[in-house]
Amino acid sequence: MKLYYSPGACSLSPHIVLRESGLPFEPVLASTKTHKLQDGTDYYTINPKGYVPLLELDNGERLSEGPAIVQYIADQVPDKKLAPAAGTMARYRLVEWLNFISTEIHKSFSPLFNPAMPEEGKKLSRERLMSRFEYVDKQLAGKSYLMGDGFSVADAYLFVTASWGQYVGVDIS
């Protein structure tokens, strides 16, 4: 497998999950600024969306979108318990967390990384993020991880998105 990634981007989440899974993979650096690989290949020829992550399977099939990728990886190594079994209520709770992180946290950071966004817009984004992190904090009360006592793919994704706060003035301490 190949994981197309960019340092600091959300592709860190499947990178973490791949390391936790123990599955062999090749990390391939894809610049989010130039949309080129280190050998000069136009990344759009690999992923028409132009962003990371992208997981290329050994058979050449490609999977994009971090929440889909981390679930795929987890399902390859069910003994690692990175995700509950498909079809269970626990799995739907995991999907619920992945969607919340994706739509309410991840995408709420986007305006903060945009230099053209007016400061008033950034202020609103920071307020929105703080309310989302307050919700997460309440859900984590008395638990070590989002899903209870065990690390899951949702924890990897939350870790990555929460770490972005230090770069854009969102203090979640």
Side-chain angles (χ1 to χ4, degrees), residues 5 13 32 42 48 61 64 66 78 92 97 110 126 129 131 133 139 142-143 151 165 168:
Y5 78 98
S13 171
T32 55
D42 182 351
E61 194 168 351
S64 64
Y92 297 120
W97 271 117
S110 295
R126 286 184 188 99
L129 276 164
S131 73
F133 281 120
Q139 299 306 305
K143 295 191 292 189
F151 175 84
V168 292

Side-chain angles (χ1 to χ4, degrees), residues 137-149:
D137 190 50
K138 288 177 184 165
Q139 299 306 305
L140 281 170
K143 295 191 292 189
S144 299
Y145 301 98
L146 291 172
M147 299 288 295
D149 292 329

Side-chain angles (χ1 to χ4, degrees), residues 61-84:
E61 194 168 351
R62 294 176 176 153
L63 186 61
S64 64
E65 304 302 330
I69 293 170
V70 295
Q71 289 179 83
Y72 173 82
I73 296 164
D75 288 343
Q76 304 313 297
V77 288
D79 55 309
K80 298 282 185 164
K81 298 185 183 333
L82 297 170

Side-chain angles (χ1 to χ4, degrees), residues 52-171:
V52 294
L54 181 94
L55 185 68
E56 185 175 309
L57 307 181
D58 292 336
N59 68 5
E61 194 168 351
R62 294 176 176 153
L63 186 61
S64 64
E65 304 302 330
I69 293 170
V70 295
Q71 289 179 83
Y72 173 82
I73 296 164
D75 288 343
Q76 304 313 297
V77 288
D79 55 309
K80 298 282 185 164
K81 298 185 183 333
L82 297 170
T88 63
M89 183 52 80
R91 181 59 167 259
Y92 297 120
R93 293 293 181 206
L94 176 75
V95 171
E96 184 177 40
W97 271 117
L98 290 171
N99 279 308
F100 178 83
I101 296 164
S102 183
T103 62
E104 299 300 318
I105 297 177
H106 184 159
K107 282 302 176 186
S108 293
F109 270 106
S110 295
L112 300 175
F113 286 109
N114 182 348
M117 174 62 70
E119 190 52 44
E120 185 59 32
K122 289 183 178 186
K123 180 178 182 276
L124 294 172
S125 292
R126 286 184 188 99
E127 290 170 2
R128 178 181 177 89
L129 276 164
M130 288 310 299
S131 73
R132 299 314 187 250
F133 281 120
E134 287 170 9
Y135 170 78
V136 171
D137 190 50
K138 288 177 184 165
Q139 299 306 305
L140 281 170
K143 295 191 292 189
S144 299
Y145 301 98
L146 291 172
M147 299 288 295
D149 292 329
F151 175 84
S152 75
V153 298
D155 296 294
Y157 193 18
L158 179 62
F159 168 78
V160 171
T161 57
S163 73
W164 295 339
Q166 65 186 317
Y167 304 111
V168 292
V170 177
D171 181 5

